[in-house]
PDB file of all heavy atoms in Angstrom:
ATOM      1  N   PHE O 424     -15.398   2.647 -13.698  1.00  0.00           N
ATOM      2  CA  PHE O 424     -16.107   3.847 -13.314  1.00  0.00           C
ATOM      3  C   PHE O 424     -16.779   4.420 -14.619  1.00  0.00           C
ATOM      4  O   PHE O 424     -16.431   4.104 -15.710  1.00  0.00           O
ATOM      5  CB  PHE O 424     -15.254   4.949 -12.698  1.00  0.00           C
ATOM      6  CG  PHE O 424     -14.409   5.717 -13.669  1.00  0.00           C
ATOM      7  CD1 PHE O 424     -14.820   6.926 -14.011  1.00  0.00           C
ATOM      8  CD2 PHE O 424     -13.245   5.179 -14.208  1.00  0.00           C
ATOM      9  CE1 PHE O 424     -14.119   7.699 -14.922  1.00  0.00           C
ATOM     10  CE2 PHE O 424     -12.496   5.906 -15.069  1.00  0.00           C
ATOM     11  CZ  PHE O 424     -12.895   7.246 -15.454  1.00  0.00           C
ATOM     12  N   SER O 425     -17.794   5.232 -14.381  1.00  0.00           N
ATOM     13  CA  SER O 425     -18.477   5.989 -15.394  1.00  0.00           C
ATOM     14  C   SER O 425     -18.828   7.326 -14.898  1.00  0.00           C
ATOM     15  O   SER O 425     -19.022   7.482 -13.714  1.00  0.00           O
ATOM     16  CB  SER O 425     -19.663   5.237 -16.036  1.00  0.00           C
ATOM     17  OG  SER O 425     -20.613   5.106 -15.037  1.00  0.00           O
ATOM     18  N   GLU O 426     -18.880   8.299 -15.777  1.00  0.00           N
ATOM     19  CA  GLU O 426     -19.240   9.691 -15.352  1.00  0.00           C
ATOM     20  C   GLU O 426     -20.632  10.002 -15.979  1.00  0.00           C
ATOM     21  O   GLU O 426     -20.851   9.720 -17.140  1.00  0.00           O
ATOM     22  CB  GLU O 426     -18.183  10.687 -15.924  1.00  0.00           C
ATOM     23  CG  GLU O 426     -18.404  12.068 -15.347  1.00  0.00           C
ATOM     24  CD  GLU O 426     -17.294  13.037 -15.780  1.00  0.00           C
ATOM     25  OE1 GLU O 426     -16.286  12.586 -16.390  1.00  0.00           O
ATOM     26  OE2 GLU O 426     -17.379  14.175 -15.432  1.00  0.00           O
ATOM     27  N   THR O 427     -21.496  10.516 -15.147  1.00  0.00           N
ATOM     28  CA  THR O 427     -22.805  10.933 -15.617  1.00  0.00           C
ATOM     29  C   THR O 427     -22.856  12.295 -16.267  1.00  0.00           C
ATOM     30  O   THR O 427     -21.792  12.980 -16.206  1.00  0.00           O
ATOM     31  CB  THR O 427     -23.788  10.896 -14.474  1.00  0.00           C
ATOM     32  OG1 THR O 427     -23.437  11.931 -13.532  1.00  0.00           O
ATOM     33  CG2 THR O 427     -23.893   9.566 -13.728  1.00  0.00           C
ATOM     34  N   THR O 428     -23.826  12.628 -16.927  1.00  0.00           N
ATOM     35  CA  THR O 428     -23.872  13.931 -17.612  1.00  0.00           C
ATOM     36  C   THR O 428     -23.825  15.093 -16.671  1.00  0.00           C
ATOM     37  O   THR O 428     -23.473  16.182 -17.064  1.00  0.00           O
ATOM     38  CB  THR O 428     -25.172  14.102 -18.527  1.00  0.00           C
ATOM     39  OG1 THR O 428     -26.329  13.810 -17.730  1.00  0.00           O
ATOM     40  CG2 THR O 428     -25.123  13.012 -19.627  1.00  0.00           C
ATOM     41  N   ASP O 429     -24.228  14.895 -15.411  1.00  0.00           N
ATOM     42  CA  ASP O 429     -24.167  15.977 -14.397  1.00  0.00           C
ATOM     43  C   ASP O 429     -22.927  15.936 -13.604  1.00  0.00           C
ATOM     44  O   ASP O 429     -22.788  16.635 -12.564  1.00  0.00           O
ATOM     45  CB  ASP O 429     -25.402  15.934 -13.520  1.00  0.00           C
ATOM     46  CG  ASP O 429     -25.565  14.697 -12.707  1.00  0.00           C
ATOM     47  OD1 ASP O 429     -24.704  13.783 -12.829  1.00  0.00           O
ATOM     48  OD2 ASP O 429     -26.505  14.610 -11.892  1.00  0.00           O
ATOM     49  N   GLY O 430     -21.917  15.170 -14.006  1.00  0.00           N
ATOM     50  CA  GLY O 430     -20.588  15.230 -13.378  1.00  0.00           C
ATOM     51  C   GLY O 430     -20.360  14.261 -12.210  1.00  0.00           C
ATOM     52  O   GLY O 430     -19.320  14.277 -11.591  1.00  0.00           O
ATOM     53  N   ARG O 431     -21.335  13.353 -11.912  1.00  0.00           N
ATOM     54  CA  ARG O 431     -21.169  12.366 -10.836  1.00  0.00           C
ATOM     55  C   ARG O 431     -20.351  11.235 -11.384  1.00  0.00           C
ATOM     56  O   ARG O 431     -20.299  11.003 -12.547  1.00  0.00           O
ATOM     57  CB  ARG O 431     -22.446  11.890 -10.321  1.00  0.00           C
ATOM     58  CG  ARG O 431     -23.287  12.930  -9.597  1.00  0.00           C
ATOM     59  CD  ARG O 431     -24.676  12.447  -9.179  1.00  0.00           C
ATOM     60  NE  ARG O 431     -25.499  12.171 -10.339  1.00  0.00           N
ATOM     61  CZ  ARG O 431     -26.154  11.045 -10.603  1.00  0.00           C
ATOM     62  NH1 ARG O 431     -26.129  10.080  -9.742  1.00  0.00           N
ATOM     63  NH2 ARG O 431     -26.881  10.968 -11.682  1.00  0.00           N
ATOM     64  N   TYR O 432     -19.727  10.500 -10.467  1.00  0.00           N
ATOM     65  CA  TYR O 432     -19.018   9.268 -10.804  1.00  0.00           C
ATOM     66  C   TYR O 432     -19.786   8.093 -10.183  1.00  0.00           C
ATOM     67  O   TYR O 432     -20.399   8.216  -9.157  1.00  0.00           O
ATOM     68  CB  TYR O 432     -17.605   9.194 -10.292  1.00  0.00           C
ATOM     69  CG  TYR O 432     -16.679  10.180 -10.938  1.00  0.00           C
ATOM     70  CD1 TYR O 432     -16.185  11.263 -10.231  1.00  0.00           C
ATOM     71  CD2 TYR O 432     -16.290   9.997 -12.263  1.00  0.00           C
ATOM     72  CE1 TYR O 432     -15.307  12.150 -10.873  1.00  0.00           C
ATOM     73  CE2 TYR O 432     -15.447  10.862 -12.876  1.00  0.00           C
ATOM     74  CZ  TYR O 432     -14.932  11.951 -12.169  1.00  0.00           C
ATOM     75  OH  TYR O 432     -14.088  12.816 -12.759  1.00  0.00           O
TER      76      TYR O 432
END
Side-chain angles (χ1 to χ4, degrees):
F424 80 100
S425 62
E426 187 174 358
T427 63
T428 56
D429 62 357
R431 293 176 291 132
Y432 291 112

